[in-house]
PDB file of all heavy atoms in Angstrom:
ATOM      1  N   GLN F   1     128.002  79.421 -43.570  1.00  0.00           N
ATOM      2  CA  GLN F   1     128.412  80.805 -43.712  1.00  0.00           C
ATOM      3  C   GLN F   1     127.370  81.749 -43.180  1.00  0.00           C
ATOM      4  O   GLN F   1     127.800  82.792 -42.506  1.00  0.00           O
ATOM      5  CB  GLN F   1     128.543  81.072 -45.218  1.00  0.00           C
ATOM      6  CG  GLN F   1     129.684  80.414 -45.922  1.00  0.00           C
ATOM      7  CD  GLN F   1     131.116  80.821 -45.400  1.00  0.00           C
ATOM      8  OE1 GLN F   1     131.189  81.932 -44.916  1.00  0.00           O
ATOM      9  NE2 GLN F   1     132.070  79.906 -45.527  1.00  0.00           N
ATOM     10  N   GLY F   2     126.112  81.487 -43.283  1.00  0.00           N
ATOM     11  CA  GLY F   2     125.033  82.314 -42.714  1.00  0.00           C
ATOM     12  C   GLY F   2     125.176  82.255 -41.150  1.00  0.00           C
ATOM     13  O   GLY F   2     124.966  83.228 -40.541  1.00  0.00           O
ATOM     14  N   GLN F   3     125.420  81.062 -40.623  1.00  0.00           N
ATOM     15  CA  GLN F   3     125.568  80.937 -39.162  1.00  0.00           C
ATOM     16  C   GLN F   3     126.763  81.714 -38.662  1.00  0.00           C
ATOM     17  O   GLN F   3     126.659  82.344 -37.611  1.00  0.00           O
ATOM     18  CB  GLN F   3     125.612  79.476 -38.754  1.00  0.00           C
ATOM     19  CG  GLN F   3     125.716  79.237 -37.316  1.00  0.00           C
ATOM     20  CD  GLN F   3     124.506  79.681 -36.613  1.00  0.00           C
ATOM     21  OE1 GLN F   3     123.328  79.595 -37.130  1.00  0.00           O
ATOM     22  NE2 GLN F   3     124.630  80.167 -35.291  1.00  0.00           N
ATOM     23  N   ARG F   4     127.881  81.691 -39.338  1.00  0.00           N
ATOM     24  CA  ARG F   4     129.094  82.448 -38.921  1.00  0.00           C
ATOM     25  C   ARG F   4     128.778  83.902 -39.006  1.00  0.00           C
ATOM     26  O   ARG F   4     129.074  84.646 -38.078  1.00  0.00           O
ATOM     27  CB  ARG F   4     130.265  82.105 -39.914  1.00  0.00           C
ATOM     28  CG  ARG F   4     130.728  80.710 -39.795  1.00  0.00           C
ATOM     29  CD  ARG F   4     132.030  80.509 -40.473  1.00  0.00           C
ATOM     30  NE  ARG F   4     132.483  79.193 -40.628  1.00  0.00           N
ATOM     31  CZ  ARG F   4     132.352  78.331 -41.655  1.00  0.00           C
ATOM     32  NH1 ARG F   4     131.759  78.897 -42.819  1.00  0.00           N
ATOM     33  NH2 ARG F   4     132.695  77.103 -41.664  1.00  0.00           N
ATOM     34  N   THR F   5     128.047  84.339 -40.025  1.00  0.00           N
ATOM     35  CA  THR F   5     127.629  85.812 -40.171  1.00  0.00           C
ATOM     36  C   THR F   5     126.770  86.178 -38.978  1.00  0.00           C
ATOM     37  O   THR F   5     126.852  87.238 -38.361  1.00  0.00           O
ATOM     38  CB  THR F   5     127.040  86.080 -41.503  1.00  0.00           C
ATOM     39  OG1 THR F   5     127.856  85.574 -42.562  1.00  0.00           O
ATOM     40  CG2 THR F   5     126.608  87.547 -41.624  1.00  0.00           C
ATOM     41  N   ASN F   6     125.751  85.339 -38.659  1.00  0.00           N
ATOM     42  CA  ASN F   6     124.962  85.544 -37.538  1.00  0.00           C
ATOM     43  C   ASN F   6     125.683  85.709 -36.240  1.00  0.00           C
ATOM     44  O   ASN F   6     125.348  86.553 -35.336  1.00  0.00           O
ATOM     45  CB  ASN F   6     123.824  84.486 -37.417  1.00  0.00           C
ATOM     46  CG  ASN F   6     122.851  84.625 -38.573  1.00  0.00           C
ATOM     47  OD1 ASN F   6     122.675  85.606 -39.285  1.00  0.00           O
ATOM     48  ND2 ASN F   6     122.170  83.456 -38.906  1.00  0.00           N
ATOM     49  N   ASP F   7     126.636  84.809 -36.018  1.00  0.00           N
ATOM     50  CA  ASP F   7     127.447  84.863 -34.813  1.00  0.00           C
ATOM     51  C   ASP F   7     128.200  86.137 -34.682  1.00  0.00           C
ATOM     52  O   ASP F   7     128.351  86.735 -33.603  1.00  0.00           O
ATOM     53  CB  ASP F   7     128.414  83.661 -34.747  1.00  0.00           C
ATOM     54  CG  ASP F   7     127.619  82.393 -34.510  1.00  0.00           C
ATOM     55  OD1 ASP F   7     126.442  82.390 -34.118  1.00  0.00           O
ATOM     56  OD2 ASP F   7     128.197  81.326 -34.887  1.00  0.00           O
ATOM     57  N   ILE F   8     128.781  86.551 -35.823  1.00  0.00           N
ATOM     58  CA  ILE F   8     129.552  87.814 -35.879  1.00  0.00           C
ATOM     59  C   ILE F   8     128.660  88.942 -35.506  1.00  0.00           C
ATOM     60  O   ILE F   8     128.970  89.914 -34.704  1.00  0.00           O
ATOM     61  CB  ILE F   8     130.284  88.011 -37.190  1.00  0.00           C
ATOM     62  CG1 ILE F   8     131.272  86.862 -37.375  1.00  0.00           C
ATOM     63  CG2 ILE F   8     130.920  89.402 -37.258  1.00  0.00           C
ATOM     64  CD1 ILE F   8     132.022  86.892 -38.753  1.00  0.00           C
ATOM     65  N   MET F   9     127.470  89.075 -36.166  1.00  0.00           N
ATOM     66  CA  MET F   9     126.599  90.197 -35.926  1.00  0.00           C
ATOM     67  C   MET F   9     126.055  90.139 -34.539  1.00  0.00           C
ATOM     68  O   MET F   9     125.831  91.244 -33.917  1.00  0.00           O
ATOM     69  CB  MET F   9     125.448  90.094 -36.950  1.00  0.00           C
ATOM     70  CG  MET F   9     125.847  90.309 -38.445  1.00  0.00           C
ATOM     71  SD  MET F   9     126.632  91.905 -38.676  1.00  0.00           S
ATOM     72  CE  MET F   9     125.355  92.975 -38.143  1.00  0.00           C
ATOM     73  N   ARG F  10     125.786  89.031 -33.949  1.00  0.00           N
ATOM     74  CA  ARG F  10     125.373  88.925 -32.559  1.00  0.00           C
ATOM     75  C   ARG F  10     126.391  89.458 -31.558  1.00  0.00           C
ATOM     76  O   ARG F  10     126.036  90.159 -30.612  1.00  0.00           O
ATOM     77  CB  ARG F  10     124.920  87.548 -32.240  1.00  0.00           C
ATOM     78  CG  ARG F  10     124.392  87.394 -30.799  1.00  0.00           C
ATOM     79  CD  ARG F  10     123.845  85.960 -30.678  1.00  0.00           C
ATOM     80  NE  ARG F  10     124.897  84.978 -30.855  1.00  0.00           N
ATOM     81  CZ  ARG F  10     124.771  83.658 -30.743  1.00  0.00           C
ATOM     82  NH1 ARG F  10     123.501  83.135 -30.523  1.00  0.00           N
ATOM     83  NH2 ARG F  10     125.694  82.802 -30.984  1.00  0.00           N
ATOM     84  N   THR F  11     127.634  89.070 -31.828  1.00  0.00           N
ATOM     85  CA  THR F  11     128.777  89.560 -31.015  1.00  0.00           C
ATOM     86  C   THR F  11     128.908  91.088 -31.144  1.00  0.00           C
ATOM     87  O   THR F  11     129.090  91.776 -30.064  1.00  0.00           O
ATOM     88  CB  THR F  11     130.014  88.856 -31.384  1.00  0.00           C
ATOM     89  OG1 THR F  11     129.935  87.467 -31.269  1.00  0.00           O
ATOM     90  CG2 THR F  11     131.200  89.307 -30.503  1.00  0.00           C
ATOM     91  N   LEU F  12     128.829  91.535 -32.359  1.00  0.00           N
ATOM     92  CA  LEU F  12     128.953  93.051 -32.528  1.00  0.00           C
ATOM     93  C   LEU F  12     127.786  93.800 -31.832  1.00  0.00           C
ATOM     94  O   LEU F  12     128.009  94.831 -31.305  1.00  0.00           O
ATOM     95  CB  LEU F  12     129.049  93.348 -34.012  1.00  0.00           C
ATOM     96  CG  LEU F  12     130.281  92.907 -34.708  1.00  0.00           C
ATOM     97  CD1 LEU F  12     130.178  93.266 -36.221  1.00  0.00           C
ATOM     98  CD2 LEU F  12     131.575  93.564 -34.139  1.00  0.00           C
ATOM     99  N   THR F  13     126.644  93.124 -31.940  1.00  0.00           N
ATOM    100  CA  THR F  13     125.452  93.851 -31.380  1.00  0.00           C
ATOM    101  C   THR F  13     125.611  93.882 -29.799  1.00  0.00           C
ATOM    102  O   THR F  13     125.277  94.841 -29.118  1.00  0.00           O
ATOM    103  CB  THR F  13     124.209  93.021 -31.760  1.00  0.00           C
ATOM    104  OG1 THR F  13     124.119  93.065 -33.209  1.00  0.00           O
ATOM    105  CG2 THR F  13     122.968  93.690 -31.175  1.00  0.00           C
ATOM    106  N   ALA F  14     126.148  92.701 -29.270  1.00  0.00           N
ATOM    107  CA  ALA F  14     126.258  92.668 -27.774  1.00  0.00           C
ATOM    108  C   ALA F  14     127.296  93.694 -27.375  1.00  0.00           C
ATOM    109  O   ALA F  14     127.085  94.462 -26.350  1.00  0.00           O
ATOM    110  CB  ALA F  14     126.703  91.261 -27.436  1.00  0.00           C
ATOM    111  N   VAL F  15     128.440  93.764 -28.017  1.00  0.00           N
ATOM    112  CA  VAL F  15     129.493  94.682 -27.727  1.00  0.00           C
ATOM    113  C   VAL F  15     128.916  96.121 -27.774  1.00  0.00           C
ATOM    114  O   VAL F  15     129.114  96.981 -26.907  1.00  0.00           O
ATOM    115  CB  VAL F  15     130.689  94.586 -28.554  1.00  0.00           C
ATOM    116  CG1 VAL F  15     131.704  95.727 -28.297  1.00  0.00           C
ATOM    117  CG2 VAL F  15     131.394  93.250 -28.288  1.00  0.00           C
ATOM    118  N   THR F  16     128.126  96.460 -28.796  1.00  0.00           N
ATOM    119  CA  THR F  16     127.517  97.741 -29.001  1.00  0.00           C
ATOM    120  C   THR F  16     126.555  98.094 -27.854  1.00  0.00           C
ATOM    121  O   THR F  16     126.542  99.168 -27.313  1.00  0.00           O
ATOM    122  CB  THR F  16     126.815  97.910 -30.309  1.00  0.00           C
ATOM    123  OG1 THR F  16     127.764  97.615 -31.387  1.00  0.00           O
ATOM    124  CG2 THR F  16     126.241  99.210 -30.510  1.00  0.00           C
ATOM    125  N   ALA F  17     125.753  96.984 -27.362  1.00  0.00           N
ATOM    126  CA  ALA F  17     124.834  97.264 -26.375  1.00  0.00           C
ATOM    127  C   ALA F  17     125.437  97.441 -25.022  1.00  0.00           C
ATOM    128  O   ALA F  17     124.964  98.178 -24.212  1.00  0.00           O
ATOM    129  CB  ALA F  17     123.895  96.012 -26.255  1.00  0.00           C
ATOM    130  N   ILE F  18     126.694  96.857 -24.857  1.00  0.00           N
ATOM    131  CA  ILE F  18     127.418  97.023 -23.629  1.00  0.00           C
ATOM    132  C   ILE F  18     128.004  98.462 -23.538  1.00  0.00           C
ATOM    133  O   ILE F  18     127.832  99.141 -22.489  1.00  0.00           O
ATOM    134  CB  ILE F  18     128.544  95.967 -23.472  1.00  0.00           C
ATOM    135  CG1 ILE F  18     127.911  94.550 -23.288  1.00  0.00           C
ATOM    136  CG2 ILE F  18     129.483  96.280 -22.351  1.00  0.00           C
ATOM    137  CD1 ILE F  18     128.909  93.463 -23.267  1.00  0.00           C
ATOM    138  N   PHE F  19     128.493  98.939 -24.616  1.00  0.00           N
ATOM    139  CA  PHE F  19     129.164 100.236 -24.575  1.00  0.00           C
ATOM    140  C   PHE F  19     128.223 101.394 -24.696  1.00  0.00           C
ATOM    141  O   PHE F  19     128.607 102.534 -24.515  1.00  0.00           O
ATOM    142  CB  PHE F  19     130.280 100.345 -25.616  1.00  0.00           C
ATOM    143  CG  PHE F  19     131.578  99.622 -25.241  1.00  0.00           C
ATOM    144  CD1 PHE F  19     131.751  98.328 -25.543  1.00  0.00           C
ATOM    145  CD2 PHE F  19     132.471 100.285 -24.532  1.00  0.00           C
ATOM    146  CE1 PHE F  19     132.954  97.668 -25.190  1.00  0.00           C
ATOM    147  CE2 PHE F  19     133.715  99.677 -24.169  1.00  0.00           C
ATOM    148  CZ  PHE F  19     133.927  98.353 -24.523  1.00  0.00           C
ATOM    149  N   LEU F  20     127.064 101.134 -25.139  1.00  0.00           N
ATOM    150  CA  LEU F  20     126.006 102.250 -25.370  1.00  0.00           C
ATOM    151  C   LEU F  20     125.744 102.998 -24.061  1.00  0.00           C
ATOM    152  O   LEU F  20     125.806 104.228 -23.979  1.00  0.00           O
ATOM    153  CB  LEU F  20     124.799 101.709 -26.053  1.00  0.00           C
ATOM    154  CG  LEU F  20     123.676 102.731 -26.375  1.00  0.00           C
ATOM    155  CD1 LEU F  20     124.282 103.799 -27.357  1.00  0.00           C
ATOM    156  CD2 LEU F  20     122.438 102.117 -26.892  1.00  0.00           C
ATOM    157  N   PRO F  21     125.378 102.287 -22.984  1.00  0.00           N
ATOM    158  CA  PRO F  21     125.118 102.986 -21.651  1.00  0.00           C
ATOM    159  C   PRO F  21     126.383 103.617 -21.117  1.00  0.00           C
ATOM    160  O   PRO F  21     126.315 104.682 -20.432  1.00  0.00           O
ATOM    161  CB  PRO F  21     124.524 101.922 -20.761  1.00  0.00           C
ATOM    162  CG  PRO F  21     124.980 100.613 -21.358  1.00  0.00           C
ATOM    163  CD  PRO F  21     125.057 100.820 -22.765  1.00  0.00           C
ATOM    164  N   LEU F  22     127.546 102.943 -21.447  1.00  0.00           N
ATOM    165  CA  LEU F  22     128.801 103.655 -20.951  1.00  0.00           C
ATOM    166  C   LEU F  22     129.039 104.930 -21.653  1.00  0.00           C
ATOM    167  O   LEU F  22     129.448 105.925 -20.990  1.00  0.00           O
ATOM    168  CB  LEU F  22     130.035 102.676 -21.183  1.00  0.00           C
ATOM    169  CG  LEU F  22     129.825 101.250 -20.493  1.00  0.00           C
ATOM    170  CD1 LEU F  22     131.147 100.440 -20.776  1.00  0.00           C
ATOM    171  CD2 LEU F  22     129.575 101.340 -19.091  1.00  0.00           C
ATOM    172  N   ASN F  23     128.760 104.973 -22.898  1.00  0.00           N
ATOM    173  CA  ASN F  23     128.928 106.243 -23.658  1.00  0.00           C
ATOM    174  C   ASN F  23     127.945 107.303 -23.129  1.00  0.00           C
ATOM    175  O   ASN F  23     128.314 108.461 -23.091  1.00  0.00           O
ATOM    176  CB  ASN F  23     128.648 105.991 -25.190  1.00  0.00           C
ATOM    177  CG  ASN F  23     129.764 105.190 -25.821  1.00  0.00           C
ATOM    178  OD1 ASN F  23     130.902 105.219 -25.402  1.00  0.00           O
ATOM    179  ND2 ASN F  23     129.437 104.519 -26.855  1.00  0.00           N
ATOM    180  N   LEU F  24     126.725 106.856 -22.824  1.00  0.00           N
ATOM    181  CA  LEU F  24     125.742 107.761 -22.285  1.00  0.00           C
ATOM    182  C   LEU F  24     126.247 108.320 -20.891  1.00  0.00           C
ATOM    183  O   LEU F  24     126.101 109.579 -20.636  1.00  0.00           O
ATOM    184  CB  LEU F  24     124.364 107.109 -22.057  1.00  0.00           C
ATOM    185  CG  LEU F  24     123.277 107.933 -21.516  1.00  0.00           C
ATOM    186  CD1 LEU F  24     122.989 109.133 -22.338  1.00  0.00           C
ATOM    187  CD2 LEU F  24     122.059 107.034 -21.251  1.00  0.00           C
ATOM    188  N   PHE F  25     126.846 107.429 -20.130  1.00  0.00           N
ATOM    189  CA  PHE F  25     127.322 107.826 -18.813  1.00  0.00           C
ATOM    190  C   PHE F  25     128.430 108.856 -18.924  1.00  0.00           C
ATOM    191  O   PHE F  25     128.477 109.882 -18.260  1.00  0.00           O
ATOM    192  CB  PHE F  25     127.725 106.545 -18.021  1.00  0.00           C
ATOM    193  CG  PHE F  25     128.062 106.784 -16.506  1.00  0.00           C
ATOM    194  CD1 PHE F  25     127.048 106.808 -15.613  1.00  0.00           C
ATOM    195  CD2 PHE F  25     129.410 107.051 -16.154  1.00  0.00           C
ATOM    196  CE1 PHE F  25     127.368 106.987 -14.299  1.00  0.00           C
ATOM    197  CE2 PHE F  25     129.657 107.249 -14.830  1.00  0.00           C
ATOM    198  CZ  PHE F  25     128.648 107.245 -13.925  1.00  0.00           C
ATOM    199  N   THR F  26     129.457 108.522 -19.785  1.00  0.00           N
ATOM    200  CA  THR F  26     130.541 109.423 -19.947  1.00  0.00           C
ATOM    201  C   THR F  26     130.166 110.639 -20.606  1.00  0.00           C
ATOM    202  O   THR F  26     130.709 111.770 -20.369  1.00  0.00           O
ATOM    203  CB  THR F  26     131.735 108.723 -20.740  1.00  0.00           C
ATOM    204  OG1 THR F  26     131.128 108.276 -22.090  1.00  0.00           O
ATOM    205  CG2 THR F  26     132.253 107.530 -20.057  1.00  0.00           C
ATOM    206  N   GLY F  27     129.177 110.594 -21.498  1.00  0.00           N
ATOM    207  CA  GLY F  27     128.667 111.869 -22.215  1.00  0.00           C
ATOM    208  C   GLY F  27     128.001 112.755 -21.193  1.00  0.00           C
ATOM    209  O   GLY F  27     128.086 113.962 -21.274  1.00  0.00           O
ATOM    210  N   PHE F  28     127.293 112.149 -20.239  1.00  0.00           N
ATOM    211  CA  PHE F  28     126.607 113.048 -19.213  1.00  0.00           C
ATOM    212  C   PHE F  28     127.673 113.712 -18.401  1.00  0.00           C
ATOM    213  O   PHE F  28     127.511 114.972 -18.109  1.00  0.00           O
ATOM    214  CB  PHE F  28     125.777 112.077 -18.330  1.00  0.00           C
ATOM    215  CG  PHE F  28     125.181 112.803 -17.207  1.00  0.00           C
ATOM    216  CD1 PHE F  28     124.031 113.584 -17.413  1.00  0.00           C
ATOM    217  CD2 PHE F  28     125.673 112.718 -15.878  1.00  0.00           C
ATOM    218  CE1 PHE F  28     123.445 114.331 -16.304  1.00  0.00           C
ATOM    219  CE2 PHE F  28     125.100 113.408 -14.809  1.00  0.00           C
ATOM    220  CZ  PHE F  28     124.021 114.176 -14.983  1.00  0.00           C
ATOM    221  N   PHE F  29     128.749 113.118 -17.938  1.00  0.00           N
ATOM    222  CA  PHE F  29     129.684 113.765 -17.150  1.00  0.00           C
ATOM    223  C   PHE F  29     130.652 114.577 -17.942  1.00  0.00           C
ATOM    224  O   PHE F  29     131.508 115.331 -17.332  1.00  0.00           O
ATOM    225  CB  PHE F  29     130.524 112.719 -16.269  1.00  0.00           C
ATOM    226  CG  PHE F  29     129.786 112.231 -15.084  1.00  0.00           C
ATOM    227  CD1 PHE F  29     129.105 111.056 -15.196  1.00  0.00           C
ATOM    228  CD2 PHE F  29     129.773 113.004 -13.960  1.00  0.00           C
ATOM    229  CE1 PHE F  29     128.462 110.560 -14.046  1.00  0.00           C
ATOM    230  CE2 PHE F  29     129.074 112.459 -12.794  1.00  0.00           C
ATOM    231  CZ  PHE F  29     128.424 111.251 -12.844  1.00  0.00           C
ATOM    232  N   GLY F  30     130.555 114.419 -19.219  1.00  0.00           N
ATOM    233  CA  GLY F  30     131.411 115.366 -20.071  1.00  0.00           C
ATOM    234  C   GLY F  30     130.734 116.680 -20.439  1.00  0.00           C
ATOM    235  O   GLY F  30     131.355 117.413 -21.190  1.00  0.00           O
ATOM    236  N   MET F  31     129.567 116.943 -19.943  1.00  0.00           N
ATOM    237  CA  MET F  31     128.848 118.224 -20.286  1.00  0.00           C
ATOM    238  C   MET F  31     129.669 119.406 -19.601  1.00  0.00           C
ATOM    239  O   MET F  31     130.117 119.238 -18.411  1.00  0.00           O
ATOM    240  CB  MET F  31     127.462 118.165 -19.940  1.00  0.00           C
ATOM    241  CG  MET F  31     126.677 117.202 -20.788  1.00  0.00           C
ATOM    242  SD  MET F  31     124.903 117.296 -20.389  1.00  0.00           S
ATOM    243  CE  MET F  31     124.850 116.714 -18.723  1.00  0.00           C
ATOM    244  N   ASN F  32     129.674 120.418 -20.177  1.00  0.00           N
ATOM    245  CA  ASN F  32     130.396 121.596 -19.687  1.00  0.00           C
ATOM    246  C   ASN F  32     129.527 122.469 -18.686  1.00  0.00           C
ATOM    247  O   ASN F  32     129.264 123.667 -18.953  1.00  0.00           O
ATOM    248  CB  ASN F  32     130.947 122.589 -20.731  1.00  0.00           C
ATOM    249  CG  ASN F  32     132.011 121.817 -21.553  1.00  0.00           C
ATOM    250  OD1 ASN F  32     132.798 121.143 -21.055  1.00  0.00           O
ATOM    251  ND2 ASN F  32     132.027 122.083 -22.843  1.00  0.00           N
ATOM    252  N   PHE F  33     129.094 121.809 -17.696  1.00  0.00           N
ATOM    253  CA  PHE F  33     128.250 122.578 -16.633  1.00  0.00           C
ATOM    254  C   PHE F  33     129.147 122.565 -15.334  1.00  0.00           C
ATOM    255  O   PHE F  33     129.900 121.574 -15.073  1.00  0.00           O
ATOM    256  CB  PHE F  33     126.934 121.851 -16.311  1.00  0.00           C
ATOM    257  CG  PHE F  33     126.016 122.005 -17.458  1.00  0.00           C
ATOM    258  CD1 PHE F  33     125.676 120.908 -18.243  1.00  0.00           C
ATOM    259  CD2 PHE F  33     125.335 123.214 -17.657  1.00  0.00           C
ATOM    260  CE1 PHE F  33     124.775 121.088 -19.291  1.00  0.00           C
ATOM    261  CE2 PHE F  33     124.516 123.369 -18.707  1.00  0.00           C
ATOM    262  CZ  PHE F  33     124.156 122.235 -19.483  1.00  0.00           C
ATOM    263  N   GLU F  34     129.068 123.653 -14.601  1.00  0.00           N
ATOM    264  CA  GLU F  34     129.847 123.751 -13.392  1.00  0.00           C
ATOM    265  C   GLU F  34     129.401 122.949 -12.347  1.00  0.00           C
ATOM    266  O   GLU F  34     130.211 122.333 -11.502  1.00  0.00           O
ATOM    267  CB  GLU F  34     129.969 125.247 -12.939  1.00  0.00           C
ATOM    268  CG  GLU F  34     130.875 125.450 -11.747  1.00  0.00           C
ATOM    269  CD  GLU F  34     131.042 126.891 -11.426  1.00  0.00           C
ATOM    270  OE1 GLU F  34     130.366 127.739 -12.091  1.00  0.00           O
ATOM    271  OE2 GLU F  34     131.702 127.239 -10.361  1.00  0.00           O
ATOM    272  N   HIS F  35     128.118 122.774 -12.134  1.00  0.00           N
ATOM    273  CA  HIS F  35     127.499 122.051 -10.984  1.00  0.00           C
ATOM    274  C   HIS F  35     127.077 120.730 -11.489  1.00  0.00           C
ATOM    275  O   HIS F  35     125.909 120.542 -11.902  1.00  0.00           O
ATOM    276  CB  HIS F  35     126.400 122.857 -10.316  1.00  0.00           C
ATOM    277  CG  HIS F  35     126.877 124.163  -9.767  1.00  0.00           C
ATOM    278  ND1 HIS F  35     127.615 124.289  -8.708  1.00  0.00           N
ATOM    279  CD2 HIS F  35     126.588 125.430 -10.353  1.00  0.00           C
ATOM    280  CE1 HIS F  35     127.866 125.570  -8.456  1.00  0.00           C
ATOM    281  NE2 HIS F  35     127.273 126.314  -9.438  1.00  0.00           N
ATOM    282  N   LEU F  36     127.903 119.745 -11.513  1.00  0.00           N
ATOM    283  CA  LEU F  36     127.605 118.361 -11.776  1.00  0.00           C
ATOM    284  C   LEU F  36     128.041 117.478 -10.612  1.00  0.00           C
ATOM    285  O   LEU F  36     129.123 117.801  -9.997  1.00  0.00           O
ATOM    286  CB  LEU F  36     128.260 117.841 -13.038  1.00  0.00           C
ATOM    287  CG  LEU F  36     127.682 118.365 -14.374  1.00  0.00           C
ATOM    288  CD1 LEU F  36     128.562 117.955 -15.556  1.00  0.00           C
ATOM    289  CD2 LEU F  36     126.290 117.878 -14.550  1.00  0.00           C
ATOM    290  N   PRO F  37     127.384 116.419 -10.225  1.00  0.00           N
ATOM    291  CA  PRO F  37     127.730 115.644  -9.139  1.00  0.00           C
ATOM    292  C   PRO F  37     129.079 114.923  -9.441  1.00  0.00           C
ATOM    293  O   PRO F  37     129.435 114.565 -10.561  1.00  0.00           O
ATOM    294  CB  PRO F  37     126.612 114.481  -9.079  1.00  0.00           C
ATOM    295  CG  PRO F  37     125.952 114.568 -10.346  1.00  0.00           C
ATOM    296  CD  PRO F  37     126.129 115.945 -10.840  1.00  0.00           C
TER     297      PRO F  37
END
């Protein structure tokens, strides 16, 4: 049961780590400035 819990937490952590820079990227381009690349 502990191993299953560790596998689930590792998967969730990996998914979070993957989407964290994507959120940062989309948040950067979502700023309300007129001059953005």
Side-chain angles (χ1 to χ4, degrees):
Q1 292 294 334
Q3 182 63 34
R4 294 191 190 102
T5 302
N6 292 336
D7 292 340
I8 294 173
M9 293 303 299
R10 183 174 57 183
T11 301
L12 293 177
T13 302
V15 171
T16 302
I18 291 174
F19 280 92
L20 183 61
L22 303 184
N23 291 334
L24 177 62
F25 190 86
T26 56
F28 175 77
F29 282 96
M31 292 186 296
N32 294 323
F33 292 105
E34 182 178 358
H35 301 287
L36 286 176

